[in-house]
Amino acid sequence: MSKPDFTSLTRSELRQYILEHREDEEALQIYIDRFQSPNNKVFPAPQTIEDLENFPELHQQHLNQRRNQA
């Protein structure tokens, strides 16, 4: 069986391939390299209830980013 062209697969297609071929280290490494962004925002854990006031906005931004990447 020949491997697919990983560069032409979408994120969800490559993820599905990895789930079906868990022993394929090459595919996993390509997935990690391709979709790991050094620009990802890291948010500190909320310290107070007031910190959670912005959660709905931040959550929506996160969902929009994920939709755009898929």
Side-chain angles (χ1 to χ4, degrees):
M1 181 178 113
S2 64
K3 292 184 180 185
D5 177 15
F6 298 128
T7 59
S8 67
L9 297 178
T10 64
R11 181 182 194 145
S12 57
E13 290 170 336
L14 185 53
R15 181 180 182 277
Q16 186 61 40
Y17 176 86
I18 291 169
L19 291 173
E20 293 172 0
H21 301 89
R22 294 178 186 265
E23 73 288 347
D24 193 336
E25 294 288 328
E26 177 189 6
L28 179 60
Q29 189 59 50
I30 289 171
Y31 182 86
I32 291 170
D33 290 343
R34 191 167 154 195
F35 298 110
Q36 183 178 17
S37 173
N39 299 325
N40 284 341
K41 291 183 181 179
V42 177
F43 298 98
Q47 300 297 313
T48 65
I49 297 297
E50 288 78 28
D51 289 346
L52 294 175
E53 288 178 357
N54 294 325
F55 177 76
E57 178 184 324
L58 295 173
H59 185 248
Q60 188 60 48
Q61 288 175 0
H62 174 72
L63 292 176
N64 291 340
Q65 287 174 345
R66 288 193 64 177
R67 248 183 248 114
N68 292 336
Q69 290 177 352

Coordinates of all heavy atoms in Angstrom, one line a residue:
M1 N 0.8 -1.2 0.0 CA 0.0 0.0 0.0 C 0.9 1.2 0.0 O 1.8 1.4 0.8 CB -0.9 0.0 1.2 CG -1.8 1.2 1.3 SD -2.9 1.1 2.7 CE -2.3 2.5 3.7
S2 N 0.6 2.2 -0.8 CA 1.4 3.4 -0.9 C 0.8 4.5 0.0 O -0.4 4.5 0.2 CB 1.5 3.9 -2.3 OG 0.2 4.3 -2.8
K3 N 1.6 5.3 0.5 CA 1.2 6.4 1.4 C 0.6 7.5 0.6 O 1.0 7.8 -0.5 CB 2.3 6.9 2.2 CG 2.9 5.9 3.2 CD 3.9 6.6 4.1 CE 4.5 5.6 5.1 NZ 5.5 6.3 6.0
P4 N -0.4 8.3 1.1 CA -0.9 9.4 0.4 C 0.1 10.6 0.4 O 1.0 10.6 1.2 CB -2.2 9.8 1.2 CG -1.9 9.2 2.6 CD -1.1 8.0 2.4
D5 N -0.1 11.6 -0.4 CA 0.7 12.7 -0.4 C 0.2 13.6 0.8 O -0.8 14.3 0.7 CB 0.5 13.5 -1.7 CG 1.3 14.8 -1.8 OD1 2.2 15.0 -0.9 OD2 1.0 15.6 -2.7
F6 N 1.0 13.6 1.8 CA 0.6 14.3 3.1 C 0.4 15.8 2.9 O -0.4 16.4 3.5 CB 1.5 14.0 4.2 CG 1.6 12.6 4.6 CD1 2.8 11.9 4.7 CD2 0.5 11.8 4.9 CE1 2.9 10.6 5.0 CE2 0.5 10.5 5.2 CZ 1.7 9.9 5.3
T7 N 1.2 16.4 2.0 CA 1.1 17.8 1.7 C -0.2 18.2 1.1 O -0.6 19.4 1.2 CB 2.3 18.3 0.9 OG1 2.2 17.6 -0.4 CG2 3.6 18.1 1.5
S8 N -0.9 17.3 0.4 CA -2.1 17.7 -0.2 C -3.4 17.4 0.6 O -4.5 17.8 0.3 CB -2.3 16.9 -1.5 OG -2.4 15.5 -1.3
L9 N -3.2 16.8 1.8 CA -4.3 16.4 2.7 C -4.7 17.6 3.5 O -3.8 18.4 3.9 CB -3.9 15.3 3.6 CG -3.6 13.9 2.9 CD1 -3.2 12.9 4.0 CD2 -4.8 13.4 2.1
T10 N -6.0 17.8 3.8 CA -6.4 18.8 4.7 C -6.1 18.3 6.1 O -5.7 17.2 6.4 CB -7.9 19.0 4.6 OG1 -8.6 17.8 5.1 CG2 -8.3 19.4 3.2
R11 N -6.2 19.2 7.1 CA -5.9 18.9 8.5 C -6.8 17.7 8.9 O -6.2 16.8 9.6 CB -6.2 20.1 9.3 CG -5.9 19.9 10.8 CD -6.2 21.1 11.6 NE -5.6 21.0 12.9 CZ -5.1 21.9 13.6 NH1 -5.1 23.2 13.2 NH2 -4.6 21.7 14.8
S12 N -8.0 17.7 8.7 CA -8.9 16.7 9.1 C -8.6 15.3 8.4 O -8.7 14.3 9.0 CB -10.4 17.0 9.0 OG -10.7 17.4 7.6
E13 N -8.2 15.4 7.1 CA -7.9 14.2 6.4 C -6.6 13.6 7.0 O -6.5 12.4 7.2 CB -7.7 14.5 4.9 CG -9.0 14.8 4.2 CD -8.7 15.3 2.8 OE1 -7.6 15.8 2.5 OE2 -9.7 15.2 2.0
L14 N -5.6 14.4 7.2 CA -4.4 13.9 7.8 C -4.6 13.4 9.2 O -4.0 12.3 9.6 CB -3.3 15.1 7.8 CG -1.9 14.7 8.3 CD1 -1.3 13.5 7.5 CD2 -1.0 15.9 8.1
R15 N -5.4 14.0 10.0 CA -5.7 13.5 11.3 C -6.4 12.1 11.2 O -6.1 11.2 12.0 CB -6.7 14.5 12.0 CG -7.0 14.1 13.4 CD -7.9 15.1 14.1 NE -8.3 14.7 15.4 CZ -9.2 13.9 15.8 NH1 -10.0 13.3 14.8 NH2 -9.5 13.6 17.0
Q16 N -7.3 12.0 10.3 CA -8.0 10.7 10.1 C -7.0 9.6 9.7 O -7.1 8.5 10.2 CB -9.1 10.8 9.1 CG -10.0 9.6 9.0 CD -10.7 9.2 10.3 OE1 -11.2 10.1 11.0 NE2 -10.7 8.0 10.6
Y17 N -6.1 10.0 8.8 CA -5.1 9.0 8.4 C -4.2 8.6 9.6 O -4.0 7.4 9.8 CB -4.2 9.6 7.3 CG -3.0 8.7 6.9 CD1 -3.2 7.8 5.9 CD2 -1.8 8.8 7.6 CE1 -2.2 6.9 5.6 CE2 -0.8 7.9 7.2 CZ -1.0 7.0 6.3 OH 0.1 6.1 5.9
I18 N -3.8 9.5 10.4 CA -3.0 9.2 11.6 C -3.8 8.3 12.6 O -3.2 7.3 13.1 CB -2.5 10.5 12.3 CG1 -1.5 11.2 11.4 CG2 -1.9 10.2 13.7 CD1 -1.2 12.6 11.9
L19 N -5.1 8.6 12.7 CA -5.9 7.7 13.6 C -6.0 6.3 13.1 O -6.0 5.3 13.9 CB -7.3 8.3 13.8 CG -7.3 9.6 14.6 CD1 -8.7 10.2 14.6 CD2 -6.8 9.4 16.1
E20 N -6.0 6.1 11.8 CA -6.1 4.8 11.2 C -4.8 4.1 11.0 O -4.7 2.9 10.9 CB -6.8 4.9 9.8 CG -8.2 5.4 9.9 CD -8.9 5.7 8.5 OE1 -8.2 5.6 7.5 OE2 -10.0 6.1 8.5
H21 N -3.7 4.9 11.0 CA -2.3 4.3 10.9 C -1.4 4.9 12.0 O -0.5 5.6 11.8 CB -1.7 4.7 9.5 CG -2.6 4.3 8.4 ND1 -3.6 5.0 7.9 CD2 -2.6 3.1 7.6 CE1 -4.2 4.4 6.9 NE2 -3.6 3.2 6.7
R22 N -1.7 4.5 13.2 CA -1.0 5.0 14.4 C 0.5 4.7 14.4 O 1.2 5.3 15.1 CB -1.7 4.5 15.6 CG -3.1 5.0 15.8 CD -3.8 4.5 17.0 NE -5.2 4.9 17.1 CZ -5.6 6.0 17.8 NH1 -4.7 6.7 18.4 NH2 -6.8 6.3 17.8
E23 N 0.9 3.7 13.6 CA 2.3 3.3 13.6 C 3.1 4.2 12.6 O 4.3 4.1 12.6 CB 2.5 1.9 13.2 CG 2.2 1.6 11.8 CD 0.7 1.6 11.3 OE1 -0.2 1.7 12.2 OE2 0.5 1.6 10.1
D24 N 2.5 5.0 11.9 CA 3.1 5.9 10.9 C 3.7 7.1 11.5 O 3.1 8.2 11.6 CB 2.2 6.2 9.7 CG 2.9 6.8 8.5 OD1 4.0 7.3 8.7 OD2 2.4 6.7 7.4
E25 N 5.0 7.0 11.9 CA 5.7 8.1 12.6 C 5.8 9.3 11.7 O 5.8 10.5 12.1 CB 7.0 7.7 13.1 CG 6.9 6.7 14.2 CD 6.4 7.2 15.5 OE1 6.7 8.4 15.8 OE2 5.8 6.5 16.3
E26 N 6.1 9.1 10.4 CA 6.3 10.1 9.4 C 5.0 11.0 9.3 O 5.1 12.2 9.3 CB 6.6 9.6 8.0 CG 6.8 10.6 7.0 CD 6.9 10.0 5.6 OE1 6.8 8.8 5.4 OE2 7.1 10.8 4.6
A27 N 3.9 10.4 9.2 CA 2.6 11.2 9.1 C 2.4 12.0 10.4 O 2.0 13.2 10.3 CB 1.5 10.2 8.9
L28 N 2.7 11.4 11.5 CA 2.5 12.1 12.8 C 3.4 13.4 12.8 O 3.0 14.4 13.2 CB 2.7 11.2 14.0 CG 2.6 11.9 15.3 CD1 1.2 12.4 15.5 CD2 2.9 10.9 16.4
Q29 N 4.7 13.2 12.4 CA 5.6 14.3 12.5 C 5.2 15.4 11.5 O 5.3 16.6 11.8 CB 7.0 13.8 12.2 CG 8.1 14.8 12.4 CD 8.1 15.3 13.9 OE1 8.1 14.5 14.8 NE2 8.1 16.6 14.1
I30 N 4.7 15.0 10.3 CA 4.3 16.0 9.4 C 3.1 16.8 9.9 O 3.0 18.0 9.8 CB 3.9 15.4 8.0 CG1 5.2 14.9 7.4 CG2 3.1 16.3 7.1 CD1 5.0 14.1 6.1
Y31 N 2.2 16.1 10.6 CA 1.0 16.7 11.2 C 1.4 17.7 12.3 O 1.0 18.9 12.3 CB 0.1 15.7 11.8 CG -1.2 16.2 12.4 CD1 -2.3 16.4 11.7 CD2 -1.2 16.5 13.8 CE1 -3.5 17.0 12.2 CE2 -2.4 17.0 14.3 CZ -3.5 17.2 13.6 OH -4.6 17.8 14.1
I32 N 2.3 17.3 13.1 CA 2.8 18.2 14.2 C 3.5 19.4 13.6 O 3.3 20.5 14.0 CB 3.7 17.4 15.2 CG1 2.9 16.4 15.9 CG2 4.5 18.4 16.1 CD1 3.7 15.4 16.7
D33 N 4.4 19.2 12.7 CA 5.2 20.3 12.1 C 4.3 21.3 11.3 O 4.4 22.5 11.4 CB 6.2 19.8 11.1 CG 7.4 19.0 11.8 OD1 7.5 19.2 13.0 OD2 8.1 18.3 11.1
R34 N 3.3 20.7 10.7 CA 2.4 21.5 9.8 C 1.4 22.4 10.6 O 1.1 23.5 10.2 CB 1.7 20.6 8.9 CG 0.9 21.3 7.8 CD 0.5 20.3 6.7 NE -0.6 20.7 6.0 CZ -1.4 19.9 5.3 NH1 -1.1 18.6 5.2 NH2 -2.4 20.4 4.7
F35 N 0.9 21.9 11.7 CA -0.1 22.5 12.4 C 0.3 23.1 13.8 O -0.6 23.6 14.5 CB -1.3 21.6 12.6 CG -1.9 21.2 11.2 CD1 -1.8 19.9 10.8 CD2 -2.5 22.2 10.4 CE1 -2.3 19.6 9.5 CE2 -3.0 21.8 9.2 CZ -2.9 20.5 8.7
Q36 N 1.5 23.0 14.1 CA 2.0 23.7 15.3 C 2.4 25.1 15.0 O 3.3 25.3 14.2 CB 3.1 22.9 15.9 CG 3.7 23.4 17.2 CD 4.8 22.5 17.8 OE1 5.4 21.7 17.1 NE2 5.0 22.7 19.0
S37 N 1.8 26.0 15.6 CA 2.1 27.4 15.2 C 2.8 28.1 16.4 O 2.4 28.1 17.5 CB 0.8 28.2 15.0 OG 1.1 29.6 14.8
P38 N 3.9 28.7 16.1 CA 4.6 29.4 17.2 C 3.9 30.7 17.6 O 4.2 31.3 18.6 CB 6.0 29.8 16.5 CG 5.7 29.8 15.1 CD 4.6 28.8 14.8
N39 N 2.9 31.1 16.9 CA 2.1 32.3 17.2 C 0.9 32.0 18.0 O 0.1 32.9 18.3 CB 1.7 33.0 15.9 CG 2.9 33.4 15.1 OD1 3.9 33.8 15.6 ND2 2.8 33.4 13.8
N40 N 0.7 30.8 18.5 CA -0.5 30.5 19.3 C -0.4 31.3 20.6 O 0.6 31.4 21.2 CB -0.5 29.0 19.6 CG -1.0 28.2 18.5 OD1 -1.6 28.7 17.6 ND2 -0.7 26.9 18.5
K41 N -1.6 31.8 21.0 CA -1.7 32.5 22.2 C -1.8 31.6 23.4 O -2.5 30.6 23.3 CB -2.9 33.4 22.2 CG -2.8 34.6 21.3 CD -4.0 35.5 21.4 CE -3.9 36.6 20.4 NZ -5.1 37.5 20.5
V42 N -1.1 31.9 24.5 CA -1.2 31.1 25.7 C -1.8 32.0 26.8 O -1.2 33.1 27.0 CB 0.2 30.5 26.1 CG1 0.1 29.8 27.5 CG2 0.8 29.7 25.1
F43 N -2.9 31.6 27.3 CA -3.5 32.5 28.3 C -3.3 31.9 29.7 O -3.4 30.7 29.9 CB -5.1 32.5 28.0 CG -5.4 33.1 26.7 CD1 -5.7 32.3 25.6 CD2 -5.4 34.5 26.6 CE1 -6.0 32.9 24.4 CE2 -5.7 35.1 25.4 CZ -6.0 34.3 24.3
P44 N -3.0 32.7 30.7 CA -2.8 32.2 32.0 C -4.1 31.8 32.6 O -5.2 32.2 32.2 CB -2.3 33.5 32.8 CG -2.7 34.6 32.0 CD -2.8 34.2 30.6
A45 N -4.0 30.9 33.6 CA -5.2 30.4 34.2 C -5.9 31.6 35.0 O -5.2 32.4 35.5 CB -4.9 29.3 35.2
P46 N -7.2 31.6 35.0 CA -7.9 32.7 35.7 C -7.6 32.6 37.2 O -7.6 31.5 37.8 CB -9.4 32.5 35.4 CG -9.5 31.1 34.8 CD -8.2 30.7 34.3
Q47 N -7.4 33.8 37.8 CA -7.0 33.8 39.2 C -8.3 34.2 40.1 O -8.3 33.9 41.3 CB -5.9 34.8 39.5 CG -4.6 34.5 38.7 CD -4.0 33.2 39.2 OE1 -3.9 33.0 40.4 NE2 -3.7 32.4 38.3
T48 N -9.2 34.9 39.4 CA -10.4 35.4 40.2 C -11.6 35.2 39.3 O -11.5 34.9 38.1 CB -10.3 36.8 40.6 OG1 -10.3 37.6 39.3 CG2 -9.1 37.2 41.4
I49 N -12.8 35.3 39.9 CA -14.0 35.3 39.1 C -14.1 36.4 38.1 O -14.6 36.2 37.0 CB -15.2 35.4 40.1 CG1 -15.3 34.2 41.1 CG2 -16.5 35.5 39.3 CD1 -15.5 32.9 40.4
E50 N -13.5 37.5 38.4 CA -13.5 38.7 37.5 C -12.7 38.3 36.2 O -13.0 38.8 35.1 CB -13.0 39.9 38.1 CG -13.9 40.6 39.2 CD -13.9 39.8 40.5 OE1 -12.8 39.2 40.9 OE2 -14.9 39.8 41.2
D51 N -11.7 37.5 36.4 CA -10.9 37.1 35.2 C -11.7 36.3 34.2 O -11.4 36.3 33.0 CB -9.7 36.2 35.6 CG -8.7 36.9 36.4 OD1 -8.7 38.1 36.4 OD2 -7.8 36.2 37.0
L52 N -12.8 35.7 34.6 CA -13.7 35.0 33.7 C -14.6 35.8 32.9 O -15.3 35.3 32.0 CB -14.5 33.9 34.5 CG -13.6 32.8 35.2 CD1 -14.5 31.9 36.0 CD2 -12.9 32.0 34.1
E53 N -14.7 37.1 33.2 CA -15.6 38.0 32.5 C -15.3 38.0 31.0 O -16.3 38.1 30.2 CB -15.5 39.4 33.0 CG -16.1 39.6 34.4 CD -16.0 41.0 34.9 OE1 -15.4 41.8 34.3 OE2 -16.5 41.2 36.0
N54 N -14.1 37.9 30.5 CA -13.8 37.9 29.1 C -13.8 36.5 28.5 O -13.5 36.4 27.3 CB -12.4 38.5 28.9 CG -12.3 40.0 29.3 OD1 -13.3 40.7 29.1 ND2 -11.2 40.4 29.8
F55 N -14.2 35.5 29.2 CA -14.1 34.2 28.7 C -15.0 34.0 27.4 O -14.5 33.4 26.5 CB -14.5 33.1 29.7 CG -14.5 31.7 29.2 CD1 -13.4 31.0 29.0 CD2 -15.7 31.1 28.9 CE1 -13.4 29.8 28.5 CE2 -15.8 29.8 28.3 CZ -14.6 29.2 28.2
P56 N -16.2 34.4 27.4 CA -17.0 34.2 26.2 C -16.4 34.7 24.9 O -16.4 34.1 23.9 CB -18.3 34.9 26.4 CG -18.4 34.9 27.9 CD -17.0 35.1 28.4
E57 N -15.8 35.9 25.0 CA -15.1 36.5 23.8 C -13.9 35.7 23.4 O -13.7 35.4 22.2 CB -14.7 37.9 24.1 CG -14.0 38.6 23.0 CD -13.5 40.0 23.4 OE1 -14.2 40.7 24.2 OE2 -12.4 40.4 23.0
L58 N -13.1 35.3 24.4 CA -11.9 34.5 24.1 C -12.3 33.2 23.5 O -11.6 32.7 22.6 CB -11.0 34.4 25.3 CG -10.5 35.7 25.9 CD1 -9.8 35.4 27.2 CD2 -9.5 36.3 24.9
H59 N -13.3 32.6 24.1 CA -13.7 31.3 23.6 C -14.2 31.3 22.1 O -13.9 30.5 21.3 CB -14.8 30.7 24.5 CG -15.2 29.3 24.2 ND1 -16.5 29.1 23.6 CD2 -14.6 28.2 24.2 CE1 -16.6 27.8 23.4 NE2 -15.4 27.2 23.7
Q60 N -14.9 32.4 21.8 CA -15.4 32.6 20.4 C -14.3 32.8 19.5 O -14.3 32.2 18.4 CB -16.4 33.7 20.4 CG -17.1 33.8 19.0 CD -17.9 32.6 18.7 OE1 -18.7 32.1 19.5 NE2 -17.7 32.1 17.5
Q61 N -13.3 33.5 19.9 CA -12.1 33.7 19.0 C -11.4 32.4 18.8 O -11.0 32.1 17.6 CB -11.1 34.7 19.7 CG -11.5 36.1 19.7 CD -10.5 37.0 20.5 OE1 -9.6 36.5 21.0 NE2 -10.8 38.3 20.5
H62 N -11.3 31.6 19.8 CA -10.7 30.3 19.7 C -11.4 29.4 18.7 O -10.9 28.7 17.8 CB -10.6 29.6 21.0 CG -10.1 28.2 21.0 ND1 -8.8 27.9 20.7 CD2 -10.7 27.0 21.1 CE1 -8.6 26.6 20.7 NE2 -9.8 26.0 21.0
L63 N -12.8 29.4 18.8 CA -13.6 28.5 17.9 C -13.5 29.0 16.5 O -13.4 28.2 15.6 CB -15.0 28.6 18.4 CG -15.4 27.9 19.7 CD1 -16.8 28.1 20.1 CD2 -15.0 26.4 19.6
N64 N -13.4 30.3 16.3 CA -13.3 30.9 14.9 C -11.9 30.5 14.3 O -11.9 30.1 13.1 CB -13.4 32.4 14.9 CG -14.8 32.8 15.2 OD1 -15.8 32.1 15.1 ND2 -15.0 34.0 15.6
Q65 N -10.9 30.5 15.1 CA -9.6 30.1 14.6 C -9.6 28.6 14.2 O -9.0 28.2 13.2 CB -8.5 30.4 15.7 CG -8.2 31.8 15.8 CD -7.2 32.0 17.0 OE1 -7.0 31.2 17.8 NE2 -6.6 33.2 17.0
R66 N -10.2 27.8 15.0 CA -10.2 26.4 14.7 C -11.0 26.1 13.5 O -10.6 25.2 12.7 CB -10.8 25.6 15.9 CG -9.8 25.5 17.1 CD -10.2 24.6 18.1 NE -10.2 23.2 17.5 CZ -10.4 22.1 18.2 NH1 -10.7 22.2 19.5 NH2 -10.4 21.0 17.6
R67 N -12.1 26.8 13.3 CA -12.9 26.6 12.1 C -12.1 27.0 10.8 O -12.2 26.4 9.8 CB -14.2 27.5 12.1 CG -15.4 26.7 12.2 CD -16.6 27.5 12.2 NE -17.2 27.4 13.6 CZ -17.4 28.4 14.4 NH1 -17.0 29.6 14.1 NH2 -17.9 28.2 15.6
N68 N -11.3 28.1 10.9 CA -10.5 28.6 9.8 C -9.4 27.6 9.5 O -8.9 27.5 8.3 CB -10.0 30.0 10.1 CG -11.1 31.0 10.1 OD1 -12.1 30.8 9.5 ND2 -10.8 32.1 10.8
Q69 N -8.9 26.9 10.5 CA -7.7 26.0 10.2 C -8.2 24.6 9.7 O -7.4 23.9 9.1 CB -7.0 25.7 11.5 CG -6.2 27.0 12.0 CD -5.5 26.7 13.3 OE1 -5.7 25.7 14.0 NE2 -4.7 27.7 13.7
A70 N -9.4 24.3 9.9 CA -9.9 22.9 9.5 C -10.1 22.8 8.0 O -10.1 23.6 7.2 CB -11.2 22.6 10.2

